[in-house]
């Protein structure tokens, strides 16, 4: 039972802790923190100062009351010593009457040596012991109830009356300690109200000051958030000659460095595949990617008759033509998870299943080839309508084991795939006719249920004892046509606006 109760208690405590954490704000502005700390320090300082002043005020009032009571008692004792000795009751009454006229004195009494009351005015204390034997002035606190039923604290001062150093009697002067308490209370209230007023003013001042102090930090936070969103052109224009100014300068230098880095990455990604660029930039300490044998598929796409076509075009027109079609090929390759290995003149080399694990890389490569041919056919219709020369591709695809990695020297290298399977893909591309996709028999056998192809012929390959049977791919299976048509539409929609016929170049 005890163990179960402890478990229940622990569960309850954990639940309360979680709820408390959830109630706490996730983000507390630094201005609020600074204002809170400064306010607490000011409140503590003002409260300590108020307590110190109040204590000194109470001590001062108490000292003044005791000094006044002692003075009055000693003065009365000095004046009453001779009348007590001569038993001059008239003179004694005059002394007590005159003293009672003071508003601060509530009562005055003159006593004989044996404690007999000789003369009195006002209120007198009830003395249960014998305080008339004391050598000096003593004070006795006591209480009485007023007419309204409240309790009043009184303080009586008892002083010996002596004549020629012989004690002849005693005098009692009674003052109101409640007046002292009321004065102390008023002084304390005044100090408290002043402390509260100063605390409020100090809190407002602390908040305003903290806002002013945290404003540069707020600007830095906004600039940092802009950098996090990718806006590397963000700069802090404020000029300061303090530590925050150095911080702003450092931030601007960092932002400029990030902008240059982003620009380098963007340019770098245009020279190599984005996936390759990401892997290289993610591991700058080890630039050379590990060479490893992999099972992948390589696609070569070559423009047929490009040499004759380029002779009829200006160099700028040749560049524009290649950039246009290579852009389409790069997007088509990306749609099927491949990477652009390189562009060799008018030939594009694509690799599938190289950087990322792709168990269907062979079919993706064939689908990409079909997409390229269908896209070229669509573009050729427009080119014929504009009176421009048509562009036809011949494509060779091969699948097999190849070596993938960064090859080259320490000064310059590139990520690529090499091996017999790559060489065979290049040879198949050279055997293809315009608008034809050539694969070897082994790849056709592996993809037969998913692609539409027909046997072409058998070709000898230099360095190989047995000839290679090749197939021509016409299309992919109907089941995968929707995805193909979707990708084709994406490529067509990504085209820039068509130029006017007057601006179009002719061959």
């Amino acid at each position: 039972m005890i163990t179960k109760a402890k478990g229940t208690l622990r569960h309850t405590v954990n639940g309360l802790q979680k709820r408390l954490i959830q109630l706490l704000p996730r983000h507390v502005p630094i201005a609020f923190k600074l204002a809170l700390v400064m306010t607490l320090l000011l409140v503590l300082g003002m409260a300590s100062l108020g307590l110190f002043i109040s204590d000194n005020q109470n001590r001062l009032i108490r000292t003044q009351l005791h000094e006044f009571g002692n003075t009055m008692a000693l003065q009365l004792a000095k004046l009453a010593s001779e009348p007590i000795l001569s038993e001059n009751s008239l003179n004694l009454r005059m002394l007590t009457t005159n003293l009672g006229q003071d508003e601060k004195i509530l009562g005055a009494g003159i006593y004989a040596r044996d404690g007999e009351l000789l003369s009195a005015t006002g209120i007198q204390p009830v003395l249960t012991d014998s305080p008339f034997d004391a050598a000096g002035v003593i004070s006795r606190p006591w209480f009485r109830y007023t007419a309204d039923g409240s309790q009043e604290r009184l303080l009586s001062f008892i002083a010996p009356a002596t004549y020629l150093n012989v004690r002849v009697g005693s005098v009692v002067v009674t003052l109101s300690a409640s007046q002292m308490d009321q004065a102390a209370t008023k002084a304390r209230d005044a100090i408290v109200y002043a402390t509260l007023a100063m605390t409020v003013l100090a809190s407002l001042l602390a908040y305003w000051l903290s806002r002013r102090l945290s404003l540069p930090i707020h600007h830095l936070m906004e600039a940092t958030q802009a950098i996090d969103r990718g806006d590397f052109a963000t700069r802090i224009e404020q000029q300061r000659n303090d530590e925050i100014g150095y911080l702003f300068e450092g931030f601007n230098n960092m932002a400029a460095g990030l902008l240059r880095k982003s620009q380098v990455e963007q340019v770098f990604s245009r020279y190599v595949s984005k996936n390759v660029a990401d892997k290289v930039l993610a591991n700058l300490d080890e630039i050379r990617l590990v060479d490893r044998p992999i099972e992948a598929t390589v696609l070569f796409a070559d423009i047929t008759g490009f040499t004759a076509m380029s002779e009829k075009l200006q160099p700028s027109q040749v560049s524009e033509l290649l950039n246009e079609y290579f852009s389409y090929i790069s997007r088509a390759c990306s749609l099927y998870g491949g990477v652009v290995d390189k562009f060799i003149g008018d030939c594009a080399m694509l690799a599938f299943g190289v950087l990322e694990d792709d168990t269907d890389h062979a079919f993706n490569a064939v689908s990409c080839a079909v997409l390229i041919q269908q896209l070229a056919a669509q573009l050729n219709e427009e080119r014929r309508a504009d009176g421009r020369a048509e562009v036809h591709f011949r494509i060779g695809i091969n699948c097999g084991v190849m070596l993938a990695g960064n090859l080259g020297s320490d000064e310059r290298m590139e990520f690529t795939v090499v091996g017999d399977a790559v060489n065979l893909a290049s040879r198949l591309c050279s055997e293809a006719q315009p608008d034809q996709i050539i694969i070897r028999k082994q790849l056709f056998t592996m993809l037969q249920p998913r692609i539409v192809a027909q046997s072409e012929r058998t070709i000898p390959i230099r360095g190989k004892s047995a000839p290679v049977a090749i197939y021509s791919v016409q299309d992919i299976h109907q089941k995968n046509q929707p995805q193909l048509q979707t990708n084709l539409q994406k490529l067509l929609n990504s085209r820039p606006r068509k130029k006017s016929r007057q601006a179009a170049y002719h061959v």
Side-chain angles (χ1 to χ4, degrees):
M1 292 294 292
I2 296 177
T3 305
K4 184 177 180 181
K6 289 182 178 179
T8 303
L9 179 61
R10 190 181 301 108
H11 179 72
T12 303
V13 171
N14 293 336
L16 291 175
Q17 290 178 347
K18 291 181 180 179
R19 291 181 181 178
L20 182 60
I21 293 174
Q22 291 176 353
L23 291 176
L24 294 176
R26 294 184 178 180
H27 172 71
V28 180
I30 192 171
F32 178 79
K33 294 180 181 179
L34 287 175
L36 181 61
V37 172
M38 295 174 67
T39 301
L40 288 177
L41 291 176
L42 289 172
V43 168
L44 289 175
M46 293 297 297
S48 300
L49 179 62
L51 291 175
F52 176 75
I53 295 175
S54 177
D55 182 68
N56 284 345
Q57 186 74 13
N58 291 338
R59 189 182 298 111
L60 178 62
I61 294 175
R62 191 181 304 110
T63 301
Q64 290 177 349
L65 181 65
H66 278 266
E67 287 179 353
F68 179 75
N70 289 341
T71 301
M72 291 294 101
L74 290 175
Q75 184 178 5
L76 179 60
K78 182 179 180 181
L79 295 175
S81 59
E82 289 185 4
I84 293 175
L85 186 64
S86 61
E87 296 181 355
N88 189 346
S89 59
L90 178 62
N91 198 1
L92 292 176
R93 284 196 299 272
M94 289 180 59
L95 290 175
T96 54
T97 301
N98 291 335
L99 196 61
Q101 293 177 356
D102 194 329
E103 295 179 354
K104 299 178 181 178
I105 299 176
L106 301 182
I110 302 175
Y111 294 82
R113 179 70 180 81
D114 57 359
E116 179 185 358
L117 180 61
L118 300 178
S119 177
T121 184
I123 58 178
Q124 298 297 319
V126 177
L127 302 176
T128 57
D129 54 359
S130 182
F132 301 121
D133 296 332
V137 181
I138 61 174
S139 60
R140 289 293 178 89
W142 56 288
F143 296 89
R144 71 160 184 169
Y145 288 95
T146 61
D148 57 359
S150 61
Q151 194 177 49
E152 182 181 12
R153 191 167 73 92
L154 304 175
L155 193 61
S156 295
F157 294 88
I158 304 171
T162 60
Y163 184 78
L164 299 178
N165 297 327
V166 177
R167 185 166 187 160
V168 295
S170 300
V171 298
V172 177
V173 177
T174 302
L175 305 177
S176 175
S178 294
Q179 296 179 356
M180 176 190 70
D181 295 339
Q182 291 175 0
T185 301
K186 291 180 180 179
R188 182 192 63 199
D189 292 343
I191 293 173
V192 169
Y193 293 144
T195 302
L196 290 177
M198 292 298 295
T199 299
V200 173
L201 293 177
S203 300
L204 296 176
L205 178 63
Y207 182 74
W208 176 81
L209 185 61
S210 62
R211 289 279 296 179
R212 294 285 299 175
L213 292 176
S214 64
L215 189 60
I217 301 176
H218 184 69
H219 291 161
L220 182 61
M221 181 186 70
E222 290 180 343
T224 304
Q225 291 175 345
I227 291 292
D228 187 57
R229 293 192 300 268
D231 185 8
F232 300 123
T234 299
R235 298 292 184 273
I236 301 178
E237 303 298 338
Q238 296 184 18
Q239 300 293 331
R240 300 174 64 101
N241 58 354
D242 53 10
E243 292 81 355
I244 296 180
Y246 286 110
L247 184 62
F248 285 171
E249 183 180 357
F251 174 85
N252 290 335
N253 294 334
M254 180 198 70
L258 290 175
L259 180 60
R260 288 192 295 270
K261 178 177 178 292
S262 175
Q263 293 171 344
V264 169
E265 289 179 359
Q266 291 176 2
V267 174
F268 183 48
S269 298
R270 297 183 65 182
Y271 281 89
V272 298
S273 171
K274 185 178 184 304
N275 293 335
V276 176
D278 292 341
K279 283 187 176 292
V280 172
L281 293 174
N283 190 17
L284 294 177
D285 295 332
E286 182 59 49
I287 299 297
R288 183 181 294 276
L289 299 180
V290 178
D291 300 333
R292 57 191 177 94
I294 59 171
E295 179 79 19
T297 302
V298 176
L299 180 153
F300 283 88
D302 187 18
I303 299 177
T304 58
F306 180 75
T307 302
M309 183 186 301
S310 60
E311 291 177 353
K312 303 176 184 179
L313 299 175
Q314 297 295 327
S316 60
Q317 295 173 336
V318 174
S319 174
E320 182 181 351
L321 177 67
L322 290 177
N323 288 338
E324 178 186 359
Y325 278 89
F326 283 164
S327 296
Y328 292 139
I329 291 175
S330 178
R331 295 191 191 102
C333 179
S334 177
L335 290 174
Y336 284 100
V339 295
V340 177
D341 188 291
K342 62 174 67 69
F343 296 111
I344 311 168
D346 62 327
C347 178
M349 177 181 172
L350 314 181
F352 297 82
V354 175
L355 293 177
E356 305 293 340
D357 292 335
D358 182 8
T359 58
D360 209 17
H361 52 82
F363 179 73
N364 287 332
V366 174
S367 299
C368 180
V370 174
L371 176 61
I372 293 172
Q373 295 292 26
Q374 291 189 6
L375 175 66
Q378 291 270 3
L379 297 177
N380 283 334
E381 292 181 3
E382 298 179 1
R383 297 180 72 85
R384 283 194 299 269
D386 294 338
R388 294 180 292 169
E390 300 179 16
V391 177
H392 299 275
F393 285 92
R394 56 182 181 180
I395 299 176
I397 304 173
N398 189 37
C399 175
V401 177
M402 56 195 71
L403 186 67
N406 268 333
L407 302 179
S409 65
D410 292 337
E411 290 77 19
R412 189 177 187 279
M413 59 181 61
E414 65 174 348
F415 182 83
T416 186
V417 290
V418 295
D420 184 64
V422 179
N423 297 334
L424 182 55
S426 178
R427 176 61 188 279
L428 295 178
C429 179
S430 64
E431 292 292 333
Q433 298 298 317
D435 301 327
Q436 193 175 35
I437 304 170
I438 294 298
I439 62 174
R440 63 173 178 158
K441 182 178 180 180
Q442 288 84 343
L443 183 56
F444 168 74
T445 303
M446 182 172 61
L447 300 177
Q448 184 175 4
R450 305 170 67 184
I451 64 174
V452 179
Q454 65 180 10
S455 176
E456 282 287 319
R457 62 187 182 277
T458 300
I459 60 173
I461 301 296
R462 188 174 60 180
K464 290 184 177 293
S465 57
V468 175
I470 61 174
Y471 280 71
S472 173
V473 178
Q474 278 76 44
D475 208 340
I476 61 176
H477 194 273
Q478 188 67 29
K479 178 181 178 181
N480 300 105
Q481 282 294 329
Q483 182 63 43
L484 178 67
Q485 296 305 317
T486 299
N487 291 336
L488 177 60
Q489 197 60 41
K490 287 181 180 178
L491 294 180
L492 292 174
N493 292 337
S494 67
R495 291 178 299 172
R497 292 182 178 179
K498 186 172 64 174
K499 297 180 180 179
S500 63
R501 292 192 178 185
Q502 288 77 9
Y505 54 81
H506 298 270
V507 178

